[in-house]
Coordinates of all heavy atoms in Angstrom, one line a residue:
M1 N 0.8 -1.2 0.0 CA 0.0 0.0 0.0 C 0.9 1.2 0.0 O 1.8 1.4 0.8 CB -0.9 0.0 1.3 CG -2.0 1.0 1.2 SD -3.3 0.7 2.4 CE -2.5 1.5 3.8
L2 N 0.6 2.2 -0.9 CA 1.5 3.3 -1.0 C 0.9 4.5 -0.3 O 1.7 5.4 0.1 CB 1.6 3.6 -2.5 CG 2.1 2.5 -3.4 CD1 2.2 3.0 -4.8 CD2 3.5 2.2 -2.9
W3 N -0.3 4.6 0.0 CA -0.9 5.7 0.7 C -1.6 5.2 1.9 O -1.5 4.1 2.4 CB -1.8 6.5 -0.2 CG -1.1 7.1 -1.3 CD1 -1.0 6.7 -2.6 CD2 -0.1 8.2 -1.4 NE1 -0.2 7.4 -3.5 CE2 0.4 8.4 -2.7 CE3 0.3 9.1 -0.4 CZ2 1.3 9.3 -3.0 CZ3 1.2 10.1 -0.7 CH2 1.7 10.2 -2.0
Y4 N -2.5 6.0 2.4 CA -3.2 5.7 3.7 C -4.4 4.8 3.5 O -4.8 4.1 4.4 CB -3.6 6.9 4.4 CG -4.5 7.8 3.7 CD1 -5.9 7.6 3.7 CD2 -4.0 8.8 2.8 CE1 -6.8 8.3 3.0 CE2 -4.9 9.6 2.0 CZ -6.3 9.3 2.1 OH -7.1 10.1 1.4
E5 N -5.0 4.8 2.3 CA -6.2 4.2 2.1 C -6.0 2.6 2.1 O -5.2 2.2 1.4 CB -6.9 4.7 0.9 CG -8.3 4.2 0.7 CD -8.9 4.6 -0.7 OE1 -8.4 4.3 -1.7 OE2 -9.9 5.4 -0.6
K6 N -6.9 1.9 2.7 CA -6.8 0.4 2.6 C -8.1 0.0 1.9 O -9.2 0.2 2.5 CB -6.7 -0.2 4.0 CG -6.6 -1.7 4.0 CD -5.3 -2.1 3.5 CE -5.2 -3.7 3.6 NZ -4.0 -4.1 3.1
N7 N -8.0 -0.6 0.7 CA -9.2 -1.1 0.0 C -9.2 -2.6 0.1 O -8.1 -3.2 -0.2 CB -9.2 -0.6 -1.4 CG -9.3 0.9 -1.5 OD1 -10.2 1.5 -1.0 ND2 -8.3 1.5 -2.1
S8 N -10.3 -3.2 0.2 CA -10.4 -4.7 0.1 C -10.7 -5.1 -1.2 O -11.2 -4.3 -2.1 CB -11.3 -5.2 1.2 OG -12.6 -4.8 0.9
F9 N -10.5 -6.3 -1.6 CA -10.6 -6.8 -3.0 C -10.8 -8.3 -2.9 O -10.4 -8.9 -1.9 CB -9.4 -6.4 -3.8 CG -8.1 -6.9 -3.2 CD1 -7.6 -8.1 -3.6 CD2 -7.4 -6.1 -2.4 CE1 -6.4 -8.6 -3.1 CE2 -6.2 -6.6 -1.9 CZ -5.7 -7.8 -2.2
T10 N -11.2 -8.9 -4.0 CA -11.1 -10.4 -4.1 C -10.4 -10.7 -5.4 O -10.5 -9.9 -6.4 CB -12.6 -11.0 -4.2 OG1 -13.3 -10.4 -5.3 CG2 -13.3 -10.7 -2.9
V11 N -9.8 -11.7 -5.4 CA -9.0 -12.2 -6.6 C -9.5 -13.6 -7.0 O -9.5 -14.5 -6.1 CB -7.5 -12.2 -6.4 CG1 -6.8 -12.7 -7.7 CG2 -7.0 -10.8 -6.1
E12 N -9.8 -13.8 -8.2 CA -10.2 -15.1 -8.8 C -9.3 -15.5 -9.9 O -8.7 -14.6 -10.5 CB -11.7 -15.2 -9.2 CG -12.6 -14.9 -8.0 CD -14.1 -14.8 -8.5 OE1 -14.4 -15.4 -9.5 OE2 -14.9 -14.1 -7.8
R13 N -9.3 -16.7 -10.3 CA -8.5 -17.2 -11.4 C -9.3 -18.0 -12.4 O -9.2 -19.2 -12.5 CB -7.3 -18.1 -10.9 CG -6.2 -17.3 -10.1 CD -5.4 -16.3 -10.9 NE -5.0 -16.9 -12.1 CZ -3.8 -17.5 -12.3 NH1 -3.0 -17.7 -11.2 NH2 -3.4 -18.1 -13.4
P14 N -10.3 -17.3 -13.0 CA -11.1 -18.1 -14.0 C -10.2 -18.4 -15.2 O -9.5 -17.5 -15.7 CB -12.2 -17.0 -14.4 CG -11.5 -15.7 -14.1 CD -10.6 -15.9 -13.0
E15 N -10.4 -19.6 -15.7 CA -9.6 -20.0 -16.8 C -8.1 -19.7 -16.6 O -7.5 -20.0 -15.6 CB -10.2 -19.5 -18.1 CG -11.6 -19.9 -18.3 CD -12.4 -19.0 -19.2 OE1 -11.9 -18.0 -19.7 OE2 -13.6 -19.3 -19.4
N16 N -7.5 -19.0 -17.6 CA -6.1 -18.6 -17.3 C -6.0 -17.1 -17.2 O -5.0 -16.5 -17.6 CB -5.2 -19.1 -18.5 CG -3.8 -19.2 -18.1 OD1 -3.4 -19.4 -17.0 ND2 -2.9 -18.9 -19.1
D17 N -7.0 -16.6 -16.5 CA -7.0 -15.1 -16.2 C -6.9 -14.8 -14.8 O -7.0 -15.7 -13.9 CB -8.3 -14.5 -16.8 CG -8.3 -14.5 -18.3 OD1 -7.3 -14.8 -18.9 OD2 -9.5 -14.3 -18.8
I18 N -6.7 -13.4 -14.5 CA -6.8 -13.0 -13.1 C -7.9 -12.0 -13.1 O -7.9 -11.0 -13.9 CB -5.5 -12.3 -12.7 CG1 -4.3 -13.2 -12.8 CG2 -5.6 -11.7 -11.3 CD1 -3.0 -12.5 -12.7
F19 N -8.9 -12.3 -12.3 CA -10.1 -11.4 -12.1 C -10.1 -10.8 -10.8 O -10.0 -11.5 -9.8 CB -11.3 -12.2 -12.4 CG -12.6 -11.4 -12.3 CD1 -13.0 -10.6 -13.3 CD2 -13.3 -11.4 -11.1 CE1 -14.2 -9.8 -13.2 CE2 -14.5 -10.7 -11.0 CZ -14.9 -9.9 -12.0
I20 N -10.0 -9.4 -10.8 CA -10.0 -8.7 -9.5 C -11.2 -7.9 -9.4 O -11.6 -7.1 -10.2 CB -8.8 -7.8 -9.4 CG1 -7.5 -8.6 -9.7 CG2 -8.7 -7.1 -8.1 CD1 -6.3 -7.9 -10.1
R21 N -11.8 -8.0 -8.2 CA -13.0 -7.1 -7.8 C -12.6 -6.2 -6.6 O -12.2 -6.8 -5.6 CB -14.2 -7.9 -7.6 CG -15.4 -7.0 -7.4 CD -16.7 -7.8 -7.4 NE -17.8 -6.9 -7.1 CZ -18.5 -6.1 -8.0 NH1 -18.1 -6.1 -9.2 NH2 -19.4 -5.3 -7.6
F22 N -12.6 -4.9 -6.8 CA -12.3 -4.0 -5.8 C -13.5 -3.6 -5.0 O -14.6 -3.5 -5.5 CB -11.7 -2.8 -6.4 CG -10.4 -3.0 -7.2 CD1 -10.5 -3.1 -8.6 CD2 -9.2 -3.1 -6.5 CE1 -9.3 -3.3 -9.3 CE2 -8.1 -3.3 -7.3 CZ -8.1 -3.4 -8.7
D23 N -13.4 -3.4 -3.7 CA -14.4 -2.9 -2.8 C -14.1 -1.4 -2.9 O -13.4 -0.8 -1.9 CB -14.4 -3.5 -1.5 CG -15.4 -2.9 -0.6 OD1 -16.4 -2.3 -1.1 OD2 -15.3 -3.0 0.7
H24 N -14.6 -0.7 -3.8 CA -14.2 0.7 -4.0 C -15.3 1.5 -4.7 O -15.9 0.9 -5.7 CB -12.8 0.9 -4.8 CG -12.2 2.2 -4.8 ND1 -12.7 3.2 -5.7 CD2 -11.3 2.8 -4.1 CE1 -12.0 4.3 -5.4 NE2 -11.2 4.1 -4.5
P25 N -15.6 2.7 -4.4 CA -16.6 3.4 -5.2 C -16.2 3.6 -6.6 O -15.0 3.6 -7.0 CB -16.7 4.8 -4.5 CG -15.9 4.7 -3.2 CD -15.0 3.5 -3.3
M26 N -17.2 3.7 -7.5 CA -17.0 4.1 -8.9 C -17.9 5.2 -9.3 O -18.6 5.1 -10.4 CB -17.2 2.8 -9.8 CG -16.1 1.7 -9.6 SD -14.5 2.3 -10.1 CE -14.5 2.2 -11.9
T27 N -18.0 6.2 -8.5 CA -18.8 7.4 -8.8 C -18.0 8.3 -9.7 O -16.8 8.2 -9.9 CB -19.2 8.1 -7.5 OG1 -18.1 8.6 -6.9 CG2 -19.9 7.2 -6.5
K28 N -18.7 9.3 -10.2 CA -18.0 10.3 -11.1 C -17.0 11.1 -10.2 O -16.1 11.6 -10.8 CB -19.0 11.3 -11.6 CG -19.9 10.7 -12.7 CD -21.0 11.6 -13.3 CE -21.8 10.9 -14.3 NZ -23.0 11.6 -14.7
E29 N -17.2 11.2 -9.0 CA -16.2 12.0 -8.1 C -15.1 11.2 -7.5 O -14.0 11.7 -7.2 CB -17.0 12.6 -6.9 CG -18.0 13.6 -7.4 CD -19.3 13.0 -7.9 OE1 -19.7 11.9 -7.5 OE2 -20.0 13.6 -8.8
H30 N -15.3 9.8 -7.4 CA -14.3 9.0 -6.8 C -14.3 7.6 -7.4 O -15.3 6.9 -7.2 CB -14.7 8.9 -5.3 CG -13.7 8.2 -4.4 ND1 -14.0 7.7 -3.2 CD2 -12.4 7.8 -4.6 CE1 -13.0 7.1 -2.6 NE2 -12.0 7.1 -3.5
Y31 N -13.3 7.3 -8.1 CA -13.3 6.0 -8.9 C -11.9 5.5 -9.1 O -10.9 6.3 -9.1 CB -14.1 6.2 -10.2 CG -13.5 7.2 -11.2 CD1 -12.6 6.8 -12.2 CD2 -13.8 8.5 -11.1 CE1 -12.0 7.7 -13.0 CE2 -13.2 9.5 -11.9 CZ -12.4 9.0 -12.9 OH -11.8 9.9 -13.8
I32 N -11.8 4.3 -9.5 CA -10.5 3.7 -9.9 C -10.3 4.0 -11.4 O -11.2 3.7 -12.2 CB -10.5 2.2 -9.6 CG1 -10.5 1.9 -8.1 CG2 -9.2 1.6 -10.2 CD1 -10.7 0.5 -7.7
S33 N -9.3 4.7 -11.8 CA -9.1 5.1 -13.2 C -8.4 4.1 -14.0 O -8.5 4.1 -15.2 CB -8.6 6.5 -13.2 OG -7.2 6.5 -12.7
F34 N -7.5 3.3 -13.4 CA -6.9 2.2 -14.1 C -6.3 1.2 -13.1 O -6.0 1.5 -11.9 CB -5.8 2.7 -15.0 CG -4.5 3.2 -14.4 CD1 -3.5 2.2 -13.9 CD2 -4.2 4.5 -14.2 CE1 -2.3 2.7 -13.4 CE2 -3.1 5.0 -13.6 CZ -2.1 4.0 -13.1
A35 N -6.1 0.0 -13.6 CA -5.3 -1.0 -12.9 C -4.2 -1.6 -13.8 O -4.5 -1.6 -15.1 CB -6.3 -2.1 -12.5
A36 N -3.1 -2.0 -13.3 CA -2.0 -2.5 -14.1 C -1.4 -3.7 -13.4 O -1.3 -3.7 -12.2 CB -1.0 -1.4 -14.3
I37 N -1.0 -4.6 -14.3 CA -0.2 -5.7 -13.8 C 1.2 -5.6 -14.4 O 1.4 -5.4 -15.6 CB -0.8 -7.1 -14.0 CG1 0.0 -8.2 -13.5 CG2 -1.1 -7.3 -15.5 CD1 -0.7 -9.6 -13.4
I38 N 2.3 -5.8 -13.6 CA 3.6 -5.6 -14.0 C 4.4 -6.8 -13.7 O 4.5 -7.1 -12.5 CB 4.2 -4.3 -13.5 CG1 3.4 -3.1 -13.8 CG2 5.7 -4.2 -13.9 CD1 3.8 -1.8 -13.1
T39 N 5.1 -7.4 -14.7 CA 5.9 -8.6 -14.5 C 7.3 -8.2 -14.8 O 7.6 -7.1 -15.1 CB 5.5 -9.8 -15.4 OG1 5.8 -9.4 -16.7 CG2 3.9 -10.1 -15.2
F40 N 8.2 -9.2 -14.7 CA 9.6 -8.9 -14.9 C 9.9 -8.4 -16.4 O 10.9 -7.8 -16.7 CB 10.5 -10.1 -14.6 CG 10.5 -11.2 -15.6 CD1 11.6 -11.3 -16.5 CD2 9.5 -12.0 -15.7 CE1 11.6 -12.2 -17.5 CE2 9.5 -13.0 -16.7 CZ 10.5 -13.1 -17.6
D41 N 9.0 -8.8 -17.3 CA 9.3 -8.5 -18.7 C 8.0 -7.9 -19.4 O 8.1 -7.8 -20.7 CB 9.8 -9.7 -19.4 CG 8.7 -10.8 -19.6 OD1 7.7 -10.7 -18.9 OD2 8.9 -11.7 -20.4
G42 N 7.0 -7.4 -18.7 CA 5.9 -6.9 -19.4 C 4.9 -6.2 -18.4 O 5.1 -6.2 -17.2
M43 N 4.0 -5.5 -19.1 CA 3.0 -4.7 -18.3 C 1.7 -4.6 -19.1 O 1.7 -4.6 -20.3 CB 3.6 -3.3 -18.1 CG 2.6 -2.4 -17.3 SD 3.3 -0.8 -16.9 CE 3.1 0.0 -18.5
M44 N 0.6 -4.7 -18.4 CA -0.7 -4.5 -19.1 C -1.5 -3.5 -18.2 O -1.5 -3.6 -17.0 CB -1.4 -5.7 -19.2 CG -2.8 -5.6 -19.9 SD -3.6 -7.2 -20.2 CE -2.6 -7.7 -21.6
I45 N -2.2 -2.5 -18.8 CA -3.0 -1.6 -18.1 C -4.4 -1.7 -18.6 O -4.7 -1.8 -19.9 CB -2.5 -0.1 -18.4 CG1 -1.1 0.1 -17.8 CG2 -3.4 0.9 -17.8 CD1 -0.5 1.4 -18.1
K46 N -5.3 -1.7 -17.7 CA -6.7 -1.7 -18.1 C -7.4 -0.4 -17.5 O -7.3 0.0 -16.4 CB -7.5 -2.9 -17.5 CG -7.1 -4.2 -18.1 CD -7.7 -4.4 -19.5 CE -7.4 -5.7 -20.0 NZ -8.4 -6.7 -19.7
K47 N -8.0 0.4 -18.4 CA -8.7 1.6 -18.0 C -10.0 1.3 -17.5 O -10.7 0.5 -18.0 CB -8.8 2.5 -19.2 CG -9.5 3.8 -19.0 CD -8.5 4.9 -18.4 CE -9.3 6.2 -18.2 NZ -9.8 6.3 -16.9
L48 N -10.4 2.0 -16.4 CA -11.7 1.9 -15.8 C -12.4 3.2 -15.8 O -11.7 4.3 -15.8 CB -11.7 1.3 -14.4 CG -11.4 -0.2 -14.2 CD1 -9.9 -0.4 -14.1 CD2 -12.0 -0.7 -13.0
Y49 N -13.7 3.2 -15.8 CA -14.5 4.5 -16.0 C -15.5 4.6 -14.8 O -16.0 3.5 -14.3 CB -15.2 4.5 -17.3 CG -14.2 4.5 -18.5 CD1 -13.8 3.3 -19.1 CD2 -13.7 5.7 -18.9 CE1 -12.9 3.2 -20.0 CE2 -12.7 5.7 -19.9 CZ -12.4 4.5 -20.5 OH -11.4 4.5 -21.5
P50 N -15.9 5.8 -14.5 CA -16.8 6.0 -13.4 C -18.2 5.3 -13.8 O -18.5 5.2 -15.0 CB -17.1 7.5 -13.4 CG -15.9 8.1 -14.0 CD -15.4 7.0 -15.0
E51 N -18.8 4.8 -12.8 CA -20.1 4.1 -12.9 C -20.1 2.7 -13.5 O -21.1 2.1 -13.7 CB -21.1 5.0 -13.6 CG -21.3 6.3 -12.8 CD -22.4 7.3 -13.3 OE1 -22.8 7.1 -14.5 OE2 -22.8 8.1 -12.6
Q52 N -18.8 2.2 -13.9 CA -18.8 0.8 -14.3 C -18.5 0.0 -13.0 O -18.3 0.5 -11.9 CB -17.7 0.6 -15.4 CG -16.3 0.6 -14.8 CD -15.3 0.1 -15.9 OE1 -14.9 0.9 -16.7 NE2 -14.9 -1.2 -15.8
E53 N -18.5 -1.3 -13.2 CA -18.2 -2.2 -12.1 C -16.7 -2.0 -11.7 O -15.9 -1.8 -12.5 CB -18.5 -3.6 -12.4 CG -20.0 -4.0 -12.6 CD -20.8 -3.8 -11.3 OE1 -20.3 -4.2 -10.3 OE2 -21.8 -3.1 -11.4
P54 N -16.4 -2.1 -10.3 CA -15.1 -2.0 -9.9 C -14.3 -3.3 -10.1 O -13.9 -3.9 -9.1 CB -15.2 -1.5 -8.5 CG -16.5 -2.2 -8.0 CD -17.4 -2.2 -9.2
E55 N -14.1 -3.7 -11.3 CA -13.5 -5.0 -11.5 C -12.6 -5.0 -12.8 O -12.9 -4.2 -13.7 CB -14.5 -6.1 -11.5 CG -15.6 -5.9 -12.7 CD -16.8 -6.8 -12.5 OE1 -17.1 -7.2 -11.4 OE2 -17.3 -7.2 -13.6
V56 N -11.7 -5.8 -12.8 CA -10.8 -5.9 -14.0 C -10.4 -7.3 -14.2 O -10.2 -8.1 -13.3 CB -9.6 -4.9 -13.8 CG1 -8.8 -5.4 -12.6 CG2 -8.8 -4.8 -15.1
R57 N -10.1 -7.7 -15.5 CA -9.7 -9.0 -15.8 C -8.5 -9.0 -16.7 O -8.5 -8.3 -17.8 CB -10.8 -9.8 -16.5 CG -10.5 -11.2 -16.8 CD -11.7 -11.9 -17.2 NE -11.5 -13.3 -17.5 CZ -12.4 -14.3 -17.5 NH1 -13.6 -14.0 -17.1 NH2 -12.1 -15.5 -17.9
F58 N -7.4 -9.6 -16.2 CA -6.2 -9.6 -17.0 C -5.9 -11.1 -17.4 O -6.1 -12.0 -16.7 CB -4.9 -9.2 -16.1 CG -5.0 -7.8 -15.7 CD1 -5.2 -7.5 -14.4 CD2 -4.6 -6.8 -16.5 CE1 -5.2 -6.2 -13.9 CE2 -4.6 -5.5 -16.1 CZ -4.9 -5.2 -14.8
P59 N -5.4 -11.2 -18.7 CA -4.9 -12.6 -19.0 C -3.6 -12.8 -18.2 O -2.8 -11.9 -17.9 CB -4.5 -12.5 -20.5 CG -4.3 -11.0 -20.7 CD -5.2 -10.3 -19.8
F60 N -3.5 -14.0 -17.7 CA -2.2 -14.3 -16.9 C -1.0 -14.5 -17.8 O -1.0 -15.4 -18.7 CB -2.5 -15.6 -16.0 CG -1.3 -15.9 -15.1 CD1 -1.1 -15.2 -14.0 CD2 -0.4 -16.9 -15.5 CE1 0.0 -15.5 -13.1 CE2 0.6 -17.2 -14.6 CZ 0.9 -16.5 -13.5
F61 N 0.0 -13.6 -17.6 CA 1.2 -13.8 -18.4 C 2.4 -13.8 -17.6 O 3.5 -13.5 -18.0 CB 1.3 -12.7 -19.5 CG 1.3 -11.3 -19.0 CD1 2.5 -10.6 -18.8 CD2 0.1 -10.6 -18.7 CE1 2.5 -9.3 -18.4 CE2 0.1 -9.3 -18.2 CZ 1.3 -8.7 -18.0
G62 N 2.3 -14.2 -16.3 CA 3.5 -14.3 -15.4 C 3.2 -13.7 -14.1 O 2.3 -12.8 -13.9
K63 N 3.9 -14.1 -13.0 CA 3.8 -13.5 -11.7 C 4.2 -12.1 -11.7 O 5.3 -11.8 -12.4 CB 4.5 -14.4 -10.7 CG 3.8 -15.6 -10.3 CD 4.4 -16.2 -9.0 CE 3.5 -17.2 -8.4 NZ 3.9 -17.7 -7.1
G64 N 3.5 -11.3 -11.0 CA 3.9 -9.9 -11.0 C 3.2 -9.2 -9.9 O 2.6 -9.7 -9.0
K65 N 3.2 -7.8 -10.0 CA 2.6 -7.0 -9.0 C 1.5 -6.3 -9.7 O 1.5 -5.9 -10.9 CB 3.6 -6.0 -8.4 CG 4.6 -6.7 -7.6 CD 5.3 -5.7 -6.7 CE 6.3 -6.5 -5.7 NZ 6.2 -6.0 -4.4
I66 N 0.4 -6.0 -8.9 CA -0.8 -5.3 -9.5 C -0.9 -4.0 -8.7 O -0.8 -3.9 -7.5 CB -2.0 -6.2 -9.3 CG1 -1.9 -7.4 -10.1 CG2 -3.2 -5.4 -9.7 CD1 -2.9 -8.5 -9.9
F67 N -1.1 -3.0 -9.5 CA -1.2 -1.6 -9.0 C -2.6 -1.1 -9.6 O -3.1 -1.4 -10.6 CB -0.1 -0.7 -9.5 CG 1.2 -1.0 -9.0 CD1 2.0 -2.0 -9.7 CD2 1.7 -0.5 -7.8 CE1 3.3 -2.3 -9.2 CE2 2.9 -0.8 -7.4 CZ 3.7 -1.7 -8.1
Y68 N -3.2 -0.2 -8.8 CA -4.4 0.6 -9.3 C -4.3 2.0 -8.8 O -3.7 2.3 -7.8 CB -5.6 -0.1 -8.9 CG -5.8 -0.2 -7.4 CD1 -6.7 0.7 -6.7 CD2 -5.3 -1.2 -6.7 CE1 -6.9 0.6 -5.4 CE2 -5.5 -1.3 -5.3 CZ -6.3 -0.4 -4.6 OH -6.5 -0.5 -3.3
F69 N -5.0 2.8 -9.6 CA -5.0 4.3 -9.3 C -6.4 4.8 -9.0 O -7.3 4.7 -9.9 CB -4.3 5.0 -10.5 CG -4.1 6.5 -10.2 CD1 -2.9 6.9 -9.6 CD2 -5.1 7.4 -10.6 CE1 -2.7 8.2 -9.3 CE2 -4.8 8.8 -10.3 CZ -3.6 9.2 -9.6
C70 N -6.6 5.4 -7.9 CA -7.8 6.1 -7.5 C -7.6 7.6 -7.8 O -6.6 8.1 -7.5 CB -8.1 5.9 -6.0 SG -9.3 6.9 -5.4
N71 N -8.6 8.1 -8.5 CA -8.5 9.5 -8.9 C -8.5 10.5 -7.7 O -8.0 11.6 -7.8 CB -9.7 9.9 -9.8 CG -11.0 10.1 -9.0 OD1 -11.3 9.3 -8.2 ND2 -11.7 11.2 -9.3
R72 N -8.9 10.0 -6.5 CA -8.9 10.9 -5.4 C -7.8 10.6 -4.4 O -7.2 11.5 -3.8 CB -10.3 10.8 -4.6 CG -10.5 11.9 -3.7 CD -11.9 11.8 -3.1 NE -11.9 10.8 -2.0 CZ -12.9 10.4 -1.3 NH1 -14.1 11.1 -1.5 NH2 -12.9 9.5 -0.5
D73 N -7.4 9.3 -4.3 CA -6.5 8.9 -3.2 C -5.1 8.4 -3.8 O -4.2 8.2 -3.0 CB -7.1 7.8 -2.5 CG -8.4 8.2 -1.9 OD1 -8.5 9.3 -1.2 OD2 -9.4 7.5 -2.1
G74 N -4.9 8.3 -5.0 CA -3.6 8.0 -5.6 C -3.3 6.6 -5.9 O -4.3 5.8 -6.1
L75 N -2.1 6.2 -6.0 CA -1.6 5.0 -6.5 C -1.5 3.9 -5.3 O -0.9 4.2 -4.3 CB -0.3 5.1 -7.2 CG 0.3 3.9 -7.8 CD1 -0.6 3.4 -9.1 CD2 1.7 4.2 -8.3
F76 N -2.0 2.7 -5.6 CA -1.9 1.6 -4.6 C -1.3 0.4 -5.3 O -1.5 0.1 -6.4 CB -3.3 1.3 -4.1 CG -4.0 2.4 -3.3 CD1 -4.7 3.3 -4.0 CD2 -3.8 2.5 -2.0 CE1 -5.3 4.4 -3.3 CE2 -4.5 3.5 -1.2 CZ -5.2 4.4 -1.9
E77 N -0.7 -0.4 -4.4 CA -0.2 -1.7 -4.8 C -1.2 -2.6 -4.2 O -1.5 -2.5 -3.0 CB 1.2 -2.0 -4.4 CG 1.6 -3.4 -4.7 CD 3.1 -3.7 -4.2 OE1 3.7 -2.7 -3.8 OE2 3.4 -4.8 -4.2
L78 N -1.7 -3.6 -5.0 CA -2.5 -4.6 -4.4 C -1.7 -5.4 -3.4 O -0.7 -6.0 -3.7 CB -3.0 -5.6 -5.5 CG -4.4 -6.2 -5.3 CD1 -5.5 -5.1 -5.4 CD2 -4.7 -7.2 -6.4
D79 N -2.2 -5.5 -2.2 CA -1.5 -6.1 -1.1 C -2.1 -7.5 -0.8 O -3.1 -7.6 -0.1 CB -1.6 -5.1 0.1 CG -0.7 -5.5 1.2 OD1 0.2 -6.3 1.0 OD2 -0.9 -4.9 2.3
P80 N -1.5 -8.5 -1.4 CA -2.1 -9.8 -1.3 C -2.1 -10.3 0.2 O -1.3 -9.9 1.0 CB -1.3 -10.7 -2.2 CG 0.0 -10.0 -2.4 CD -0.3 -8.6 -2.1
Ligands
FE2_101 FE1 -10.2 5.9 -3.5

């Protein structure tokens, strides 16, 4: 965790993907604007938008770290 906010989340592994659901608002004023997975040799970013579900699905392409950015509270690392 990079800042003070602690968000909870769930992680599932459907098929060969990583599915993350955040317990976080997705209002026009306060939302997650992107999530990213970073491995030793690659990175993938998924953009999220206000009023959509607070969830993201990445294809699994190696172990790495997952980060997400809240428009109000800043950058977080998913803390497994
Ligand atoms: Fe937030």
Side-chain angles (χ1 to χ4, degrees):
M1 194 168 79
L2 301 178
W3 299 100
Y4 60 87
E5 184 184 68
K6 180 74 174 175
N7 298 303
S8 62
F9 57 89
T10 58
V11 178
E12 296 174 31
R13 292 294 309 274
E15 299 154 2
N16 199 32
D17 292 346
I18 302 172
F19 180 78
I20 303 156
R21 183 168 178 83
F22 300 96
D23 180 18
H24 189 280
M26 289 299 281
T27 64
K28 289 177 181 171
E29 296 78 28
H30 184 197
Y31 61 96
I32 296 172
S33 63
F34 72 82
I37 183 167
I38 301 173
T39 68
F40 79 101
D41 66 348
M43 177 176 80
M44 180 176 285
I45 295 176
K46 292 285 183 89
K47 179 82 179 92
L48 285 89
Y49 297 92
E51 300 185 343
Q52 77 171 81
E53 292 297 312
E55 58 193 32
V56 64
R57 185 168 176 156
F58 294 107
F60 182 76
F61 60 95
K63 281 195 165 187
K65 294 195 173 225
I66 295 170
F67 296 87
Y68 61 99
F69 188 85
C70 165
N71 75 314
R72 199 176 73 179
D73 303 308
L75 185 65
F76 296 87
E77 179 182 347
L78 211 69
D79 193 10

